[in-house]
Amino acid sequence: MDLRFTDEEIAFRQEVRDFIAKELPAETRERMVAGRSPTKQQVVDWQRKLNARGWAAPEWPKEAGGPGWTLAQRYIFREELQQAPAPSPLGFNINMCGPVIIEFGTEEQKRKYLPRMLNLDDWWCQGFSEPGAGSDLAGLKTRAVREGDHYVVNGQKTWTTLAQHADWIFLLVRTDPAAKKQEGISFLLCDMKTPGITVRPIITIEGGHEVNEVFFDDVKIPAENLVGEENRGWDCAKFLLGNERFGQARVGASRERIRRLKVIAQESMDGGRPLMEDPDFRRKVTEIEVELKALEMTVMRVIATESKRKDKKPDPATSVLKIKGTEIQQMCSELLMKAAGPYAWADGDPDEEDGSNEVDVAPDWAFGLAGVYFNWRKQSIYGGSNEIQRNIMAKAFLGL
Amino acid sequence: MDLRFTDEEIAFRQEVRDFIAKELPAETRERMVAGRSPTKQQVVDWQRKLNARGWAAPEWPKEAGGPGWTLAQRYIFREELQQAPAPSPLGFNINMCGPVIIEFGTEEQKRKYLPRMLNLDDWWCQGFSEPGAGSDLAGLKTRAVREGDHYVVNGQKTWTTLAQHADWIFLLVRTDPAAKKQEGISFLLCDMKTPGITVRPIITIEGGHEVNEVFFDDVKIPAENLVGEENRGWDCAKFLLGNERFGQARVGASRERIRRLKVIAQESMDGGRPLMEDPDFRRKVTEIEVELKALEMTVMRVIATESKRKDKKPDPATSVLKIKGTEIQQMCSELLMKAAGPYAWADGDPDEEDGSNEVDVAPDWAFGLAGVYFNWRKQSIYGGSNEIQRNIMAKAFLGL
Amino acid sequence: MDFDLTEEQRLLQDSVARLLGNKYGFEQRKGYMKSADGWSREVWSQYAELGLLGLPFGEDEGGFGGGPVETLIVAEQIGRYITLEPWMSTVVIGGGFLRHGASQELRNELVPQVASGEMLLAFAQVERQSRYDLFDVATTAKKDGDGWVINGRKGYVVHGDSADRLIVTARTAGDRRERKGIGVFLVDAKGPGVERRGYRTVDGQRAAEVELSGARAVAVLGNPEDGLPLVDQVVDECIAALAGEAVGAMQAVHDMTIDYMKTRQQFGRPIGSFQALQHRAADMLVALEQSRSMSYFAAMSAAERNPVERRKAMAAVKVQIGRSARFVGQQSVQLHGGIAMTIEYAAGHYFKRLTVNDAMFGDADHYVRDLSETGGLVAAA
Amino acid sequence: MDFDLTEEQRLLQDSVARLLGNKYGFEQRKGYMKSADGWSREVWSQYAELGLLGLPFGEDEGGFGGGPVETLIVAEQIGRYITLEPWMSTVVIGGGFLRHGASQELRNELVPQVASGEMLLAFAQVERQSRYDLFDVATTAKKDGDGWVINGRKGYVVHGDSADRLIVTARTAGDRRERKGIGVFLVDAKGPGVERRGYRTVDGQRAAEVELSGARAVAVLGNPEDGLPLVDQVVDECIAALAGEAVGAMQAVHDMTIDYMKTRQQFGRPIGSFQALQHRAADMLVALEQSRSMSYFAAMSAAERNPVERRKAMAAVKVQIGRSARFVGQQSVQLHGGIAMTIEYAAGHYFKRLTVNDAMFGDADHYVRDLSETGGLVAAA
């Protein structure tokens, strides 16, 4: 048992850190420090810088355009991005659709899509969830009927994150309605410019536009856009979802939030002294720091185990990472809001490109923090709600 | 809406308080302040003093020997006893078996048992729970077979509190094994000296002897000891359990514990100052005080509603009282243990009559507090576990 | 001890419930939010007709003669429909300052205007450094002839953008965090030296950032050298009303959640049949019932004469209500799942209102500290 | 980064597990508890044979040459079987003082005796007023000729009744709560001026109250004028071992609970089929896994050279382990129901051990305060 990073890994961390320090635009960083999402252009620019360096897809194999890193390197890389903070490589491209194509796609599909994914020439989005399906993903109803060399798709997807930016969508459709629930599903790729697609924004409670409904009305998708076999799309979905091994822990991101929290709580006065000196507030911050340290060690355990695993089954510890990771992130957002006090409550979409504290109704460091808190309640709902994670642990791991 | 006590009620409280101040033996009080249960003799003596004053059975109707109090008076009386602290009237006699006899018993049974119950000439115990039944009380298996003018009882009861002190036991037995679960049960009264009864102590985790197993081996119980009709004993049981309206809140008892806690946390040094001045400890105490104040108001709401209710159905708020009441009591016991620090950990049965800190291994105020904490974990298990209470709320009240 | 409403109180409750039932559907509310004021003048005039705007004033001066229980009744309905009108600012806070701090002459002038709905009031108290300390006041009031001239900056002035008069705390003497030397002044919101920047708050209400540059007070409320006890009293009365609002909102969102759990299907059955979610709903009910109890305690304590006891009681109220509101709000969203994350669904709006309600005049954490520093509710013995 | 055990470590783990599997059934344990010592001399001699008593000493001096990982491995097994022998007192704490504080001569004399099981040590540190502050020492040591004479009273001396030597903290200079002026002394437990009153603690272990009246030290450990850094270091190593013990105990009681949930029937089905209880079990597993992670962090940090960083790390360890142990312990009892409340069932004994484990050298609340006062783990930026 040796619980430290190797010298090579420590050197690698420095290399990543130096790269970020040199290449990350200050504006992107500042926007993210304020708790806002980077703009589309900021994400694209950054992805291209990573791609130029060969770092666009940390988890991809070398032959597909990845850097060929060990798990520890991937972890270090992502952690450094998160705590910079810098945008992560676009998840839809790099962690969702890309790996599915690498695993199940034809050579033709690989050639066509992967390089453009890496360079963010195409922005992808995910068409999985449907209204009414919720945690029961396999209950999806969107139909695809084969007609000649096309599928004709009808139905509706929802919670489609950043569909408004997307050039392409990968989606699950039902190709055999007579089959049992998980069977009869196929995995398709679709150009968002195809006639019959309508994107309608869903505005979330804090006022942001991050997710969408996507309607398919007789949308013709070329049959060559099928990934894997027809009616075997659930394999792709399971692979994609199971692929998420330690990404939901977001240790680096939470560390960055705690740093920020400490700065804000030092600015914010309470009872005549900085809030950070209030024993109760300080205790709360310390408690998340402790949880985060334990989570970091749990991630490292998962990585160490993963490197030796042969099967591709999801690790039960993944649920621990999801539950604790999201609880910590939500708690950070709550403490940030609390730290800002009444000045957190000015309404404004934190993701608006123009910002909205221009009339100066709050100190800049406080503005919009309630919105982030409200928005982050989603974290315990999506990606397999934390209740679903507990079901998984009880059944798959404890055998209850 | 008028949320205050009336002048009469305030005067009544003073009357009770004066009585306790005058009559309660100092030894009894001191033993209870230390967190230990009163001895059998202390309970008996106190019950007789109450009986002499006509206060032995606060909830009984006048004709049965009760004082004829309003609900508010009963609440005030019990609260004053708890926060003195003084022993409450013996629950098995006064709140369990007595009311069942008053409601379902014959005149003969009333004459025979009630006066001796009031004066604690007979100490009763409860034979309901059985091994294996747990939260599923109606699953009981102890059999009673009618033979001439007797029932012959065979089986086992468990968790029988203070059976070692008891002269009589009231018990549920199965008289018709063919009937459905809740049917075919009868309610019997049994002299503990009847041949065939064996009492075996169950020692609880802290080392105390409070509960017992009671074995019945061909025990002959006169048929006249049947209460209500044969095979209708579940009615008695439901009545008895539903009778518990606000007793489990124990607001007065918790208030007394908080007072004690504050004294101990003032004695106990932490970081060079009294523990009570530690912001985190103080916060925890304050949080229970707040919960307790809310609970007190909830009890008063239940009382006010009860006085106007015609039906005898249990109030859903009863579950709130059980859950919060026990959570608060458990938290008090935990904070008392924490306040005492390492000196709470000397082992010793807190209920031993001789006490056991005689070799002076801890300050007297600290001795045995861990034992009380361990013992009080039972509170969220017995009397319908807190999980069962949540089931009741979800089903009976929320309709889920 | 009697928790039943009197006949008159029941009528009041029914009439407010009927009005809001008709006027405060979710779509109607959205419409009000988008209007220029951010709330409904029509509803406001109906408040006036029902006597809600004169609620706390004596019948002799044209009011309704209501006390803390009546305020609780109205506040609960306001929470149930998460209304947007400036009732809390104008009637509870503004009315409180008029009742406890205004000269007879000023009352004669303003009470009828408030009761009729012509006069809107807002409380300009928060400052950038003050957080939740009512006595932390940097804004100054300087004597100038018979009057007072005010300079400073106030933030999060709830409904400050539509108010006709601002009730401003300002320092007449002493250092920024001294308890003495604070005065309360009435300022014409449209008068010279007052600049307001209105904005919407996260819970859909309105507020303003206010700059005061040589603004002249039109009246003084209470003792200009020692106005803090007056501020404390009015804020405590408002805390009692906020408790009612929170209980109404918790009840509404809990009902909504239970309904959703009964209809929403997952894995072939209603999600309300899953025991883990049932227990969550039961815990929410416990939190709600404990808060309801505490809102009664708040109404009882609002009239408490001893200010130390009153402040302690209100601190306890804030702690219980704030903790419950957080739990009920968060879990309502969680039990709904994604749908409650959208702005088109009511549950999220209740969650947001409950979040802000907790923090108004200090959140549960603030008050648990206050209460613990002053010895708590139970004396040692 | 590698969490796998080496071949040698695996052998160590297996041999301890095998020994305790044979010797530490619940009934056997009860027998040891009732014996005069309160633990088993036979098991102790087998510890010696396996090298567990020489674990942390160099192979050159007759030890096993183990480091923090080896300590963790043994401690986890000790927790799994909640053993009663004085291993923590003698080997982890006593061994720590010998390794870091003893002269070569003293080591030469004592290490072989400790490793062979002849010499039992106990740490006399707690005083009635000290609570969890290692530097709060009223007991005095006065120079007398070449030696030191000790006066004072120590409480909760774990295994103090069977110890041959006591390791006593005593003040050589300064005020009671000064960090300087504390010395660490080795005292013959059976020598003149030492009075011990042994007792059983709630978790079934043994401790003693010790009165020192002119007891002469047989040796000094470390610098008698500035022994606190030595105490801190040894206690930190012990905290890392306690973390392992807690993880072992949590794992055992969690396993026991899951097994019980699978077999215990209520309402016609195993209680493990109730979702609310399943989620509780899952939350316990989260707590356990987070603690296991933290026990590795503890082992990593035990060798940290910078004492400030080491103390911070151990504070974090205590917080995580303590919170998890409380939850897992309480819920194990709750999920079992009544049966776990009886002394004849193992779950309650794990709960009690976990409760005491949390509070050894300070509970989670104590360390969260310590850590928060020293700036936490993450620097602001």
Side-chain angles (χ1 to χ4, degrees), chain A residues 59-61 74 92-105 110 114 126 128 137 170 172 187 227-228 232-245 306 310-315 318:
Chain A
E59 294 82 8
W60 289 14
R74 298 174 199 175
F92 313 109
N93 291 25
I94 302 305
N95 298 91
M96 296 177 171
C97 195
V100 169
I101 289 177
I102 294 169
E103 181 79 13
F104 297 95
K110 292 179 194 174
L114 298 183
Q126 181 191 37
F128 276 21
L137 181 59
F170 56 96
L172 293 177
F187 191 101
V227 180
R232 299 293 298 271
W234 191 248
D235 293 348
C236 301
K238 269 197 315 193
F239 170 81
L240 185 155
L241 299 170
N243 226 351
E244 189 59 63
R245 284 295 209 280
E306 286 288 311
K310 304 258 147 52
D311 63 62
K312 304 225 160 176
K313 286 190 193 146
D315 186 326
T318 328

Side-chain angles (χ1 to χ4, degrees), chain D residues 64-110:
Chain D
F64 186 93
V69 174
E70 285 70 23
T71 302
L72 180 71
I73 288 168
V74 176
E76 209 177 312
Q77 296 302 320
I78 279 179
R80 192 170 150 203
Y81 293 94
I82 45 173
T83 65
L84 303 166
E85 286 65 35
W87 185 79
M88 205 69 87
S89 302
T90 299
V91 179
V92 178
I93 300 179
F97 278 111
L98 292 181
R99 286 186 301 127
H100 305 303
S103 64
Q104 193 55 53
E105 198 187 337
L106 189 62
R107 283 174 77 132
N108 291 346
E109 181 199 338
L110 290 186

Side-chain angles (χ1 to χ4, degrees), chain B residues 130-137 159 181 202-207 211 268-273 275 278-281 283-284 330-331 334-335 337-348 357 359-365 370-371 373-381 385-388 390-391, chain D residues 126-133 136 153-156 176-177 197-204 208-209 211 264-268 274 276-277 280 323 326 330-331 333-345 347-349 351-353 355-356 358-361 363-366 368-369 373:
Chain B
E130 296 190 3
S135 292
D136 187 9
L137 181 59
W159 310 124
K181 222 170 167 187
I202 298 173
I203 305 301
T204 42
I205 45 175
E206 84 292 0
V211 284
S268 188
M269 297 302 286
D270 180 66
R273 62 184 170 187
L275 178 61
D278 174 64
D280 188 45
F281 191 85
R283 169 186 65 81
K284 289 197 169 111
Q330 290 181 329
M331 197 65 201
E334 190 168 350
L335 291 181
M337 171 183 71
K338 271 184 183 287
Y343 288 101
W345 305 334
D347 198 20
N357 189 28
V359 291
D360 187 22
V361 295
D364 279 334
W365 53 260
Y373 164 67
F374 295 137
N375 179 271
W376 280 20
R377 299 313 303 171
K378 72 189 175 194
Q379 293 183 303
S380 48
I381 295 171
S385 75
N386 288 11
E387 287 79 13
I388 292 287
R390 290 187 179 92
N391 283 350
Chain D
V126 173
E127 299 183 1
R128 293 230 165 166
Q129 82 295 336
S130 70
R131 200 172 169 86
Y132 303 125
D133 289 333
D136 188 326
R153 180 175 180 167
K154 294 287 183 174
Y156 191 62
R176 205 193 81 215
R177 291 179 56 80
R197 296 193 297 280
Y199 60 97
R200 195 164 67 190
T201 55
V202 285
D203 56 340
E209 182 86 1
E211 314 255 10
R264 167 75 168 165
Q265 303 274 323
Q266 288 272 270
F267 306 101
F274 290 98
L277 309 190
R280 198 88 55 82
R323 297 278 156 89
R326 172 179 185 268
Q330 288 185 351
Q331 293 306 322
V333 171
Q334 184 70 23
L335 290 174
H336 273 91
I339 187 148
M341 287 301 302
T342 72
I343 207 153
E344 296 296 324
Y345 193 86
H349 295 267
F351 169 47
K352 293 192 288 182
R353 178 73 157 248
T355 305
V356 173
D358 166 35
M360 290 285 298
F361 298 113
D363 61 9
D365 292 341
H366 173 84
V368 82
R369 185 182 71 195
E373 282 175 356

Side-chain angles (χ1 to χ4, degrees), chain A residues 33-140:
Chain A
V33 164
R36 298 162 67 198
S37 306
T39 65
K40 178 177 183 179
Q41 198 53 52
Q42 287 171 342
V43 172
V44 171
D45 290 347
W46 179 241
Q47 177 87 21
R48 287 181 184 162
K49 281 195 180 165
L50 291 176
N51 196 29
R53 185 74 170 80
W55 290 356
E59 294 82 8
W60 289 14
K62 254 198 154 126
E63 57 277 18
W69 283 336
T70 63
L71 277 168
Q73 284 178 301
R74 298 174 199 175
Y75 171 74
I76 291 167
F77 178 71
R78 289 198 170 267
E79 192 182 65
E80 287 301 322
L81 291 186
Q82 286 170 19
Q83 68 180 4
S88 292
L90 189 68
F92 313 109
N93 291 25
I94 302 305
N95 298 91
M96 296 177 171
C97 195
V100 169
I101 289 177
I102 294 169
E103 181 79 13
F104 297 95
T106 62
E107 285 312 308
E108 170 69 25
Q109 287 170 335
K110 292 179 194 174
R111 261 194 310 274
K112 177 167 176 198
Y113 298 112
L114 298 183
R116 296 180 57 81
M117 279 182 172
L118 286 170
N119 204 45
L120 235 178
D121 295 330
D122 297 325
W123 185 298
W124 287 75
C125 66
Q126 181 191 37
F128 276 21
S129 291
E130 297 190 3
S135 292
D136 186 9
L137 181 59
L140 62 90

Side-chain angles (χ1 to χ4, degrees), chain C residues 31-159:
Chain C
Y32 306 150
M33 211 190 296
K34 282 185 187 144
S35 70
D37 286 324
W39 48 276
S40 164
R41 295 266 169 192
E42 187 206 338
V43 171
W44 190 247
S45 69
Q46 287 179 299
Y47 273 22
E49 276 170 39
L50 288 181
L52 307 189
L53 304 185
L55 194 82
F57 305 113
E59 294 179 47
D60 53 329
E61 46 185 0
F64 184 92
V69 174
E70 284 72 22
T71 302
L72 180 71
I73 288 168
V74 176
E76 209 177 310
Q77 295 302 320
I78 278 179
R80 193 171 149 202
Y81 291 95
I82 45 172
T83 65
L84 303 165
E85 287 65 34
W87 185 78
M88 205 68 88
S89 302
T90 299
V91 180
V92 178
I93 300 179
F97 278 111
L98 292 181
R99 285 186 304 127
H100 305 303
S103 64
Q104 192 57 52
E105 196 188 338
L106 188 63
R107 282 174 78 131
N108 290 346
E109 180 199 339
L110 290 187
V111 170
Q113 294 182 46
V114 167
S116 68
E118 294 154 57
M119 168 64 65
L120 305 181
L121 302 171
F123 186 31
Q125 176 259 317
V126 172
E127 299 183 1
R128 293 231 166 167
Q129 84 294 338
S130 70
R131 201 172 168 84
Y132 303 126
D133 289 333
L134 297 171
F135 57 85
D136 189 325
V137 176
T139 298
T140 57
K142 292 227 155 39
K143 195 91 193 179
D144 179 45
D146 319 334
W148 295 85
V149 175
I150 300 172
N151 283 286
R153 178 174 182 168
K154 295 287 185 176
Y156 191 61
V157 180
V158 181
H159 283 113

